[in-house]
mmCIF file of all heavy atoms in Angstrom:
data_model
loop_
_atom_site.group_PDB
_atom_site.id
_atom_site.type_symbol
_atom_site.label_atom_id
_atom_site.label_comp_id
_atom_site.label_asym_id
_atom_site.label_seq_id
_atom_site.Cartn_x
_atom_site.Cartn_y
_atom_site.Cartn_z
ATOM 1 N N ARG A 370 0.374 -19.103 8.649
ATOM 2 C CA ARG A 370 1.699 -18.525 8.488
ATOM 3 C C ARG A 370 2.387 -18.538 9.826
ATOM 4 O O ARG A 370 1.855 -18.104 10.868
ATOM 5 C CB ARG A 370 1.569 -17.085 7.976
ATOM 6 C CG ARG A 370 2.842 -16.255 7.992
ATOM 7 C CD ARG A 370 3.831 -16.723 6.967
ATOM 8 N NE ARG A 370 4.860 -15.695 6.677
ATOM 9 C CZ ARG A 370 6.012 -15.966 6.117
ATOM 10 N NH1 ARG A 370 6.277 -17.222 5.751
ATOM 11 N NH2 ARG A 370 6.872 -15.019 5.882
ATOM 12 N N TYR A 371 3.640 -19.015 9.831
ATOM 13 C CA TYR A 371 4.505 -18.956 11.005
ATOM 14 C C TYR A 371 5.814 -18.281 10.630
ATOM 15 O O TYR A 371 6.383 -18.556 9.547
ATOM 16 C CB TYR A 371 4.812 -20.386 11.517
ATOM 17 C CG TYR A 371 5.883 -20.381 12.582
ATOM 18 C CD1 TYR A 371 5.584 -20.032 13.893
ATOM 19 C CD2 TYR A 371 7.231 -20.679 12.256
ATOM 20 C CE1 TYR A 371 6.574 -20.015 14.859
ATOM 21 C CE2 TYR A 371 8.199 -20.649 13.240
ATOM 22 C CZ TYR A 371 7.894 -20.290 14.536
ATOM 23 O OH TYR A 371 8.876 -20.291 15.511
ATOM 24 N N GLN A 372 6.259 -17.392 11.475
ATOM 25 C CA GLN A 372 7.548 -16.708 11.203
ATOM 26 C C GLN A 372 8.315 -16.594 12.539
ATOM 27 O O GLN A 372 7.774 -16.210 13.586
ATOM 28 C CB GLN A 372 7.270 -15.304 10.637
ATOM 29 C CG GLN A 372 8.545 -14.574 10.141
ATOM 30 C CD GLN A 372 8.232 -13.264 9.523
ATOM 31 O OE1 GLN A 372 7.821 -12.313 10.243
ATOM 32 N NE2 GLN A 372 8.399 -13.157 8.209
ATOM 33 N N ARG A 373 9.566 -16.935 12.449
ATOM 34 C CA ARG A 373 10.504 -16.808 13.574
ATOM 35 C C ARG A 373 11.373 -15.572 13.330
ATOM 36 O O ARG A 373 12.055 -15.488 12.319
ATOM 37 C CB ARG A 373 11.391 -18.055 13.673
ATOM 38 C CG ARG A 373 12.442 -17.983 14.728
ATOM 39 C CD ARG A 373 11.925 -18.290 16.128
ATOM 40 N NE ARG A 373 12.990 -18.443 17.102
ATOM 41 C CZ ARG A 373 12.786 -18.700 18.356
ATOM 42 N NH1 ARG A 373 11.550 -18.873 18.809
ATOM 43 N NH2 ARG A 373 13.792 -18.820 19.192
ATOM 44 N N SER A 374 11.342 -14.607 14.259
ATOM 45 C CA SER A 374 12.083 -13.363 14.131
ATOM 46 C C SER A 374 13.411 -13.437 14.915
ATOM 47 O O SER A 374 13.448 -14.042 15.981
ATOM 48 C CB SER A 374 11.243 -12.201 14.599
ATOM 49 O OG SER A 374 10.046 -12.082 13.869
ATOM 50 N N TYR A 375 14.403 -12.778 14.347
ATOM 51 C CA TYR A 375 15.732 -12.665 15.002
ATOM 52 C C TYR A 375 16.133 -11.228 15.068
ATOM 53 O O TYR A 375 15.660 -10.390 14.299
ATOM 54 C CB TYR A 375 16.758 -13.516 14.240
ATOM 55 C CG TYR A 375 16.449 -14.981 14.213
ATOM 56 C CD1 TYR A 375 15.738 -15.527 13.154
ATOM 57 C CD2 TYR A 375 16.866 -15.803 15.247
ATOM 58 C CE1 TYR A 375 15.448 -16.876 13.141
ATOM 59 C CE2 TYR A 375 16.573 -17.160 15.221
ATOM 60 C CZ TYR A 375 15.872 -17.669 14.158
ATOM 61 O OH TYR A 375 15.566 -19.053 14.162
ATOM 62 N N LYS A 376 16.980 -10.931 16.003
ATOM 63 C CA LYS A 376 17.470 -9.542 16.187
ATOM 64 C C LYS A 376 18.120 -9.027 14.891
ATOM 65 O O LYS A 376 18.845 -9.760 14.241
ATOM 66 C CB LYS A 376 18.517 -9.514 17.303
ATOM 67 C CG LYS A 376 18.849 -8.122 17.824
ATOM 68 C CD LYS A 376 17.777 -7.537 18.665
ATOM 69 C CE LYS A 376 18.210 -6.188 19.272
ATOM 70 N NZ LYS A 376 17.129 -5.621 20.120
ATOM 71 N N GLY A 377 17.780 -7.825 14.564
ATOM 72 C CA GLY A 377 18.392 -7.226 13.350
ATOM 73 C C GLY A 377 17.550 -7.420 12.108
ATOM 74 O O GLY A 377 18.016 -7.097 11.014
ATOM 75 N N GLY A 378 16.321 -7.941 12.229
ATOM 76 C CA GLY A 378 15.446 -8.019 11.085
ATOM 77 C C GLY A 378 15.521 -9.323 10.307
ATOM 78 O O GLY A 378 14.828 -9.457 9.275
ATOM 79 N N SER A 379 16.309 -10.291 10.720
ATOM 80 C CA SER A 379 16.355 -11.604 10.038
ATOM 81 C C SER A 379 15.166 -12.422 10.491
ATOM 82 O O SER A 379 14.643 -12.248 11.567
ATOM 83 C CB SER A 379 17.674 -12.319 10.340
ATOM 84 O OG SER A 379 18.792 -11.589 9.841
ATOM 85 N N ASN A 380 14.758 -13.390 9.640
ATOM 86 C CA ASN A 380 13.661 -14.249 10.006
ATOM 87 C C ASN A 380 13.605 -15.485 9.130
ATOM 88 O O ASN A 380 14.226 -15.505 8.035
ATOM 89 C CB ASN A 380 12.295 -13.485 9.923
ATOM 90 C CG ASN A 380 12.067 -12.899 8.540
ATOM 91 O OD1 ASN A 380 11.805 -13.625 7.595
ATOM 92 N ND2 ASN A 380 12.172 -11.608 8.430
ATOM 93 N N ILE A 381 12.898 -16.482 9.552
ATOM 94 C CA ILE A 381 12.547 -17.660 8.723
ATOM 95 C C ILE A 381 11.039 -17.910 8.863
ATOM 96 O O ILE A 381 10.455 -17.504 9.913
ATOM 97 C CB ILE A 381 13.355 -18.913 9.157
ATOM 98 C CG1 ILE A 381 13.064 -19.271 10.618
ATOM 99 C CG2 ILE A 381 14.841 -18.747 8.938
ATOM 100 C CD1 ILE A 381 13.676 -20.601 11.057
ATOM 101 N N GLY A 382 10.449 -18.521 7.876
ATOM 102 C CA GLY A 382 9.005 -18.658 7.893
ATOM 103 C C GLY A 382 8.470 -19.842 7.152
ATOM 104 O O GLY A 382 9.171 -20.423 6.282
#
Side-chain angles (χ1 to χ4, degrees):
R370 170 69 162 161
Y371 170 80
Q372 189 178 69
R373 175 79 171 181
S374 300
Y375 297 92
K376 192 75 173 180
S379 297
N380 57 72
I381 59 173

